[in-house]
Amino acid sequence: MRHTAPEGRGPVRYGPPAPDAGLPVLPGLAALLAAAAGRAAPEPPGGGPVLREAAAGYWWRRGLRTHAEDVVAAPGAPALLLALLAAHGGDLLLPRPCPAWWTPQARLLGRPAYHVPTPAECGGVPDPYALLETVRRVRAEGGDPRVVMLSVADDPTATVAPPEIVREACEAAVAEGLHIISDETWRDTLHHPHDTVLLSPAEMCPDDVTVLADLGGAPLTPAAWPCAVARFPPTDPSRADRWTDRRARVLDVLTALGAVIPGPVAPAAAHALDEPEDVTVRVRRAATVHGRLAAAAHRTALAAGALSRPPQAGRHLYVDLGRLRSGLAARGVTDSLELESHLAARLGAPVPGGHRFGDELGALRVRFGTEMFLGATEEERAETLGARNPEELPHVARALADFGGALEELR
């Protein structure tokens, strides 16, 4: 399989990998998977009752009234998003930048997708005034916008949108008759959860928001065990039918795709969604460590002359190297595709360019994952993830210095 364009400019057959936590599989989850290895049948489309009840409890604990009949599970967020977009129809509105895996789902369905600028304070949420203008322009040109996507805890920018901006964007979307899909995969990766306010759009507009979460984000489960869940606005069963109930239509699409959770994965996923102590302690620890690494990388990037919003969530950092354009041009780097290739080769790690997230090709932006600072061996990674001040470990300090050197070279 060819993974590069004819001129050799970067991968085109696959998207950038999600920022990885670098964690081994929890023994308790591995034991549950092994115990269920004899299950030959998959979960029913949308997930079985135990898995959906566990997902409902996950959202109840986050202030969202949810019952098992409001939940759908699928083997990964891309398949679930594809089903959601198919169920809603119409054109899609996205913040710029946005997660790299969102736009391909609209393309597979042949749906137009329009990017809307984000406010200066954060990424993940469209600027409300730009959203209104985009909707009116698209309709004037004969389009049919029906869905807007946002991520309050954002990939790629690693920011958390302030509640007032989320409210304004949601009110603008609802006023224009748009349904909101809120990707909250990264909500449990806040670097400073006691100092950061994360408000779900579903708390503001409960009848107009579907919430999506990939269990590999926190991570509750390993990425190798794909499982994602969606919470739909509660519907009165007496008024629901297959033509108006979006959940029923999503189940139709998942059934047609054969997108079902493997039987052995379901017990482990349900256990993780129940959030026992071994799961929650590790999720919180991983978020803290990656937060410290992201903060150290942010300081390093600013010292090299780059621009970046302070990271607040996730395992990544979004950096604008536009100030270094002249030095990059001297090395033959004039756009984000060339910048991606240059930095990936220099650092030996994936460094996806901003074009993958909907940014303009000419904007010199990239996303760095903090996994590159964890260490090269399992022992180093374990030491990093267990350290109180991981950035002070010798192997982490060396990796941060190499990162800074790669950026300083571009001046």
Side-chain angles (χ1 to χ4, degrees):
M1 177 185 295
R2 187 178 69 196
H3 289 291
T4 58
E7 64 273 25
R9 294 181 65 194
V12 296
R13 297 296 184 195
Y14 53 89
D20 186 54
L23 295 168
V25 178
L26 272 175
L29 295 182
L32 285 168
L33 184 74
R39 287 185 58 178
E43 291 279 285
V50 174
L51 178 57
R52 289 187 289 109
E53 191 66 44
Y58 171 86
W59 276 306
W60 268 108
R61 291 188 294 276
R62 285 153 181 79
L64 297 178
R65 181 174 65 88
T66 311
H67 300 285
E69 57 268 24
D70 304 321
V71 174
V72 163
L80 189 48
L81 178 58
L82 183 72
L84 285 168
L85 296 181
H88 281 276
D91 301 345
L92 179 64
L93 298 173
L94 307 169
R96 169 175 283 155
C98 70
W101 60 275
W102 284 4
T103 308
Q105 314 310 313
R107 289 176 179 164
L108 283 173
L109 293 168
R111 304 275 173 76
Y114 301 92
H115 288 275
V116 182
T118 55
E121 297 92 329
C122 63
V125 177
D127 177 87
Y129 297 103
L131 176 63
L132 291 171
E133 179 58 31
T134 303
V135 170
R136 290 163 188 165
R137 175 178 56 81
V138 171
R139 285 177 176 157
E141 295 173 355
D144 182 24
R146 295 190 194 176
V147 176
V148 60
M149 290 196 65
L150 49 83
S151 54
V152 180
D154 186 43
D155 172 26
T157 65
T159 59
V160 176
E164 59 273 16
I165 290 179
V166 178
R167 179 176 294 279
E168 291 173 2
C170 290
E171 288 176 349
V174 172
E176 292 296 331
L178 304 177
H179 187 75
I180 300 166
I181 298 178
S182 176
D183 180 3
E184 299 182 11
T185 292
W186 298 95
R187 68 169 296 152
D188 295 324
T189 67
L190 299 185
H191 301 164
H192 303 286
H194 300 298
D195 301 324
T196 307
V197 179
L198 187 152
L199 198 61
S200 170
E203 297 179 64
M204 304 176 182
C205 308
D207 297 328
D208 300 286
V209 179
T210 298
V211 181
L212 171 68
D214 192 314
L215 272 63
L220 294 172
T221 58
W225 306 355
C227 183
V229 289
R231 175 201 179 269
F232 291 77
T235 302
D236 183 350
S238 65
R239 293 188 290 106
D241 61 63
R242 190 158 295 277
W243 303 108
T244 60
D245 182 3
R246 295 293 191 271
R247 181 179 180 275
R249 294 178 67 181
V250 166
L251 289 174
D252 287 341
V253 176
L254 293 176
T255 301
L257 294 174
V260 293
I261 303 289
V265 170
H271 179 75
L273 283 166
D274 284 335
E275 298 183 290
E277 185 177 5
D278 62 333
V279 171
T280 56
V281 167
R282 194 170 74 153
V283 165
R284 183 69 255 134
R285 183 63 194 156
T288 300
V289 168
H290 281 279
R292 293 190 70 93
L293 296 178
H298 180 254
R299 293 191 295 270
T300 301
L302 296 184
L307 295 176
S308 176
R309 295 185 181 103
Q312 298 171 283
R315 303 182 286 272
H316 50 284
L317 182 71
Y318 201 56
V319 177
D320 186 338
L321 296 171
R323 287 182 170 180
L324 310 182
R325 187 175 295 273
S326 59
L328 286 164
R331 292 165 174 76
V333 177
T334 60
D335 59 31
S336 63
L337 185 59
E338 294 167 341
L339 182 60
E340 171 185 292
S341 298
H342 175 83
L343 287 173
R346 170 63 176 82
L347 294 170
V351 185
H355 60 284
R356 297 187 179 274
F357 309 104
D359 256 333
E360 299 87 350
L361 183 63
L364 296 172
R365 301 186 184 114
V366 288
R367 185 191 72 188
F368 295 101
T370 50
E371 182 191 10
M372 73 171 80
F373 307 120
L374 291 177
T377 66
E378 290 186 11
E379 292 76 13
E380 287 181 347
R381 288 169 177 262
E383 184 181 10
T384 304
L385 291 164
R388 180 177 296 274
N389 298 303
E391 67 276 17
E392 297 177 2
L393 294 173
H395 63 271
V396 175
R398 286 194 299 271
L400 285 166
D402 186 51
F403 171 69
L407 299 183
E408 290 286 349
E409 292 168 4
L410 305 178
R411 285 180 176 270

